[in-house]
Each structure stands twice: as C-alpha cells, then as structure tokens.
Amino acid sequence: MPQYLAIAEKQLADIYLELHLLPEALALFNAAVAQFAALDLPDEQAFALAQQGRTLARLGQTDAASGAFNQAASLFERQANPVGVATVALARAQLLLLAQARGPQALTLAQQAAASFAVAGHADGLARAAVVRAEALLLAGERAQARRLFDATLAGALQLQQIQIQVRCLTGLGRVALAEGDLFAASADFEAAIELFEDQRRALPGDDIRSAFLGDHLRPYTELLRLALGSGDAAAVLTQLERYRARALDERLAERLDQASGPSADLQRAAAADPPADDTGPLRMRLNWLYRRLQRLHEEGGDSAALGAELLQTERALLERARRGRLTGAAPQAGWPVVPAPGDGAAGRSAARDAGVGASEASPGFDPVALQAALGVEDALVEYGVVDDELFACVVTRQGVWLRRRLAPWSEVVKAVAAARFQIETLNTGSAVVQQHMALLTQRATRRLCQLHDLIWAPCAPILQACRRVIVVPHAQLGSVPFAALQDDLTPVGHRWALAMAPSARVALRGFKRLPGPPHRVLALGDSLALAHAGAEARAVAAHFSQGQALVDEQANLDQMRQLVGQADVLHLACHAQFRGDNPQFSALHLRDGALTVEQTEGLTLRACTVVLSACETGLAGQCTGDEMVGLVRAFLVAGAARVVASLWPVDDRVTALFMAHFYPALRQGQSSAEALRTARMALRATHPHPGFWGAFTLFGGW
C-alpha cells in the first residue's frame, strides 16, 4: 500500500527531525516529497516540503530551506489549507530566530501562525507558535511580555503533557531570569528544563539517538555552566561540564558493565547467544566490495565518482536498516508522570520543577570528590571547556580542584591547532620527498607546538609540577592535538609526564577501575598488501611475547580476528586505515578481506585488553555536539578495551615499526601503556627529531 507506506516514512522523518537526526531526516523527507508527488497527494507533499525546509534550515542550508518553504506555501494555498500555511509561517519564524537578528519579523510570522492554529483548534501548533513568539519577544528585549507568554504556555503544556514545550518554556524562563539578574530563579528553571528533558532522553534506544537529541538541547546545560564559571567554584564548573560531555559513551560503557556483571547477566548472555535475525548481510558484502574496489582504483591512480556515490548510499542504507532493527526491537517505555495543571504561571514552574526533581533520582550526577579519591598523589586530570570564545580548564589532583580561566580566545586556539597540524602534516607525502628540508621543517613544527603549548598547557603546568601522570580531557579540536609533543623551549610535555586522553572525566574514572591485564596473550595482525612493513611489524610484535600470535597477509582477515580477539590481552592491528570525517561511523581498519568499521567494532566482545592501532589517523574522531567524539577509539572502548593506542595523523609504516620496537619491550618489562609510550617517544625522537615521527601515537582510556 504505497500511500500508507509513504505516510509512515514521512512520520518517521518527523520523529528523526525532533530527535535532531538531521541527515537521516533529510534523506527521508527528500524521498517523501518525491513519493507524494508521484502519488498525487498535494497536502502530504506540502507538509513534507515544510519539514524538509525546517531540516535544511537546521543544517545551515538557508537558501535551500527558503525554496522548500516557498514550494510548501504555494501547495497549501492552492489547497486552501490554513493549518499548512501557518506551519510554513512558523517554520520561517524559527529560521529568522536562528539568525538572531530578525526578531520583529519572526514575531509577526509567529503571531500570524498562532491565529490560524487557534481558529483550527490545533493545540500543538498553537503551543509551538507561542514559544516562538516568546523567544522573539525576549530577543527584542521585551522581558516582561516574554515571561508572561512563557508562563501561560507552560501552564497549557503541563495540562496537555507537551514535554518538549515544557522544556522550551522552562529554558526561556531561565533566560528571562538571567537577563533580569535573578541567578537563583534562572538556575532553578534551567535545572527543571534539564530534568524533564533527561526523562525523555532516557527512554530513547541507542546512543546515536540519545547523543543527537542531547545536541539539540544544550542551552540549559551551557547556561548553568556559565553560571558556575561566574561563581568561580572549580568543582561546580567541572560538575556542569560533565553533565553533557560524552554522555552517550559513558552510558554505553555503563550498560556494558551492567550486562556483564548485573543480576540479569545470565539472561542477557543467553539473549546475546541467540541474536535477532540480521538482514544486513548483502549490504555489508556489497560495501566491502566497494571498499576494495575503490582502494584498488586509488592505488592505480584512477577514480570513480559513481562508485563513490554508491558507497555513500550503501553506508546510509546500512546504518538506517540497523537503526530500524534496533527501534523495532526496543522495549516499550513507561509513560511520563502526569503533573496536575497549575492555576498560574508560578505554580506551573513549581510543578515542572517538582517533576524534574523526581526524574533526576535515576541519573546520579558526577562527583569530583570521587575523582579526587581515585587519583594517586602524583596524578592529575586536566579537562578543557569553552563558553562563548573563552577556553578554560579544570585541573584535578588528589589535593583539590582548580579553575584556570581565560587561557586564550578559543578562535585563536583553533587557528593555532590548525597551524601546528599543518606543519606536522608536511610529512604526509613521505619523508623521502622532503628529506633535504627536514631540519627546517622540524624547526617550524617545533615552533608551532611551542606556541600551542603556551596557549593551552603553560597556564596549567604550575599545578602539575608535583605530578607524574596526567589525563587530558580535550574539547572539540583539542582532540586532534598531540599533547605529548607540545613543548616549551626545553622539553616535550610527553617526556615530563606520562599522558593519556579520555573523552570525559566520567570515562576516565571508569578507566581507573578497568585496568588492562598483563600482556601475556598477544594477537598481532598485519597486512602487507597496502603497507609493505605491516607483516614484518606484526611478526616482530608477536615475537616479543611467549604467547604471541601473528596473523599476516591472507590470515589477517575479519573472520580470524573475530574468532581470536576475545582472548587477547593485547591486540595489535597494523594495516591501512581511513578516518571518515564525512561519516565517522564508517571510519575503518582495512584488513585483507574487508573493512572493520566503527559500527562493526562496537559489536566485538573484548576483555580488558590494550588495543594498539598501528595505522593512519586512528585516533581522530568526528566531533559531535556535546563533545561526543565518534571514531575507532570510541568503538574499541565500547567493545570492552581498557586502553587504546592510536595515531593522530598519517604515519610512515617503516618508522612506526621502529616505534613499536621500543614500545613493546617496555610494555613486556612491566611498564604501563603510558610509560611504554613515553619510552618509545624518547627513543625515536633521538633518531627522528621531527614530531611527525614520534608524536603521533596517543593513549586513550587511562594510563
């Protein structure tokens, strides 16, 4: 029944849009517009166009969004559909508010939409229009009117159980209170908005959906962070940062721990032994063929736009099929608690706050004291954050929590990171090509790393003088910074401190409790087809250990790896890798018979092992809102690894083999992963001084 199927697909797209899964929503809306046109359903086509426009606007494609709105409005007018016309007007108003400069025009459009929704008795549209009107009034400085409208809309939303409207109204009321200088009321409203939102978010299946939904509701979190910064309370700032940083990953790790050791672990293991049917096999086979074919074309100097387009389409289809399978199998969630309708706006805020407080009990907050207790006397954690254009850092040791504000303007830091990486990546074409200029290139790269050191590390260094080990929690582009290679005029940071990185302090705290086992059983895979020295590297790694096993060339395949990986204390992968900034879920390690993608890696079951990704750019990640970084490192942590060693830029396989020849003997002799990396860096720097050679490999998860 094509008509009902098209309507259902459009409704799924509506939900994706509300969850902020924007590329996925856009793909479905694009298909729905074409399907409704072919089926001669102009009203449905117009609503799909309006939603397509909203999605394009939120993706920043304002011209395309305006075109979709124009088409939708024209169709609605021809059908004499006032609700449709109002829907387009409201969408245009929201687009103007996103620009933060057209408040009066947005207010007019929202008022027009509200009048039409009121005549039609469309409660949801009327509430949405009221919120947009209130936001436009707040932007125009009309705080009293905005507060009254937020209050009235909140009261109605409580009665109708419109949770999303409640969240937006409470956030708006917090912003009004903040503008009026009432910090206590602002904090209470933001907290209430967060707790209502968290109640919704907990019901969502899958960390990709939870992460996307959080990314669209960060305003109350960031406002509370700004208030904490203003107070100067370092522990409060760290607590607010941790409320949204890498939340989906932390929840995923917690779920895995519960599945492994909880009271229902036996039942969960039984369910895992009999997984639901997977119909993605043909897509995966086609995808692996496309990866191999495109890699061959690349090596031969050829190109195929058609194959590249098919690859992207197949990846999207695979992710969507996997997501739908997860959604179809999700257990029904309990409904949200009903809150009695209040008699006035103040009571409405109180009722919403009370509902939020009840919901928060299931979500324990981050405790800086617990982090301090887990740190040794010579340990520290440095967590970076950004508000507006200010980069700041929280430094945690056993003795206390310190706040270092105004390290540098964030825009300046971003430029410095780009400049440092540009100098490092001059070696990407191969060191032989630039060998005669190596001394000059080393000097330039070192100078840029010194500049970056002065901006982001030097202000924190005095607190770290008595420390021996430091975990760094980066923000956004700082995730691509080689902190070990930062240096003052004398010594690289990684020579003075044993360093590791973590996506959040919560994840670091979990890492302290999940230590890697002794390196006895070592599994090393190396594919020499793409990297000439990879096979020899894998054999050399395995030879360092009495229970070492090397899988080389034809044996370095996905099936062999999956059969053996669960028993390894150390997993070493020397192969070609590809970081996909356009779609981080399909960043992959390419073994002999196919690609091990992020999505597939998360399905592995690893013990608390150390994973070494001896390949190019395996430490890079796609930066999602909320500092949720998606990439191979995250995937191996989700799969159960305790520590992951990965590279931040393309690495020379011959030099990498030398690096590993220093790293593994140190690891075998009892050094921790962080200490063994420091040993290898110092040894390789003595013979290859350019930081592009010795600074690429970074440790993730803990020391």
Side-chain angles (χ1 to χ4, degrees), residues 501-519:
M501 294 181 77
S504 72
R506 286 176 185 258
V507 174
L509 193 53
R510 291 191 186 281
F512 296 150
K513 301 172 183 177
R514 186 173 173 79
L515 300 175

Side-chain angles (χ1 to χ4, degrees), residues 34-193:
Q35 289 166 349
F36 288 136
L39 292 166
D40 193 22
L41 297 171
D43 267 0
E44 287 81 358
Q45 182 186 2
F47 276 112
L49 280 165
Q51 292 289 74
Q52 181 190 59
R54 286 184 62 205
T55 310
L56 288 165
R58 293 171 78 177
L59 285 167
Q61 302 177 36
T62 54
D63 290 342
S66 180
F69 291 148
N70 289 338
Q71 292 181 61
S74 177
L75 282 170
F76 281 133
E77 288 166 0
R78 270 185 255 157
Q79 300 299 314
N81 186 331
V83 170
V85 172
T87 299
V88 175
L90 186 59
R92 290 187 191 277
Q94 290 174 314
L95 177 57
L96 292 172
L97 283 181
L98 284 175
Q100 293 286 304
R102 307 286 289 279
Q105 190 175 350
L107 181 60
T108 299
L109 286 169
Q111 288 170 333
Q112 293 172 355
S116 295
F117 286 133
V119 170
H122 196 288
D124 186 66
L126 191 59
R128 288 177 181 269
V131 171
V132 174
R133 286 167 57 207
E135 290 172 344
L137 287 168
L138 180 56
L139 182 62
E142 301 290 342
R143 294 195 292 268
Q145 292 185 57
R147 187 194 309 106
R148 286 194 293 271
L149 190 50
F150 278 130
D151 270 332
T153 308
L154 176 61
L158 281 162
Q159 185 174 14
L160 297 174
Q161 284 297 287
Q162 296 167 310
I163 306 295
Q164 284 286 81
I165 299 298
Q166 293 176 47
V167 171
R168 290 182 64 182
C169 287
L170 286 165
T171 302
L173 286 165
R175 293 172 60 199
V176 172
L178 200 60
E180 293 176 341
D182 189 345
L183 304 187
F184 179 81
S187 178
D189 286 327
F190 291 139
E191 289 286 359

Side-chain angles (χ1 to χ4, degrees), residues 431-451:
S431 57
V433 178
V434 294
Q435 188 60 47
Q436 60 180 329
H437 307 293
M438 191 61 71
L440 178 60
L441 293 175
T442 301
Q443 183 182 30
R444 288 176 176 174
T446 301
R447 184 167 65 248
R448 290 298 187 185
L449 290 167
C450 285
Q451 291 172 352

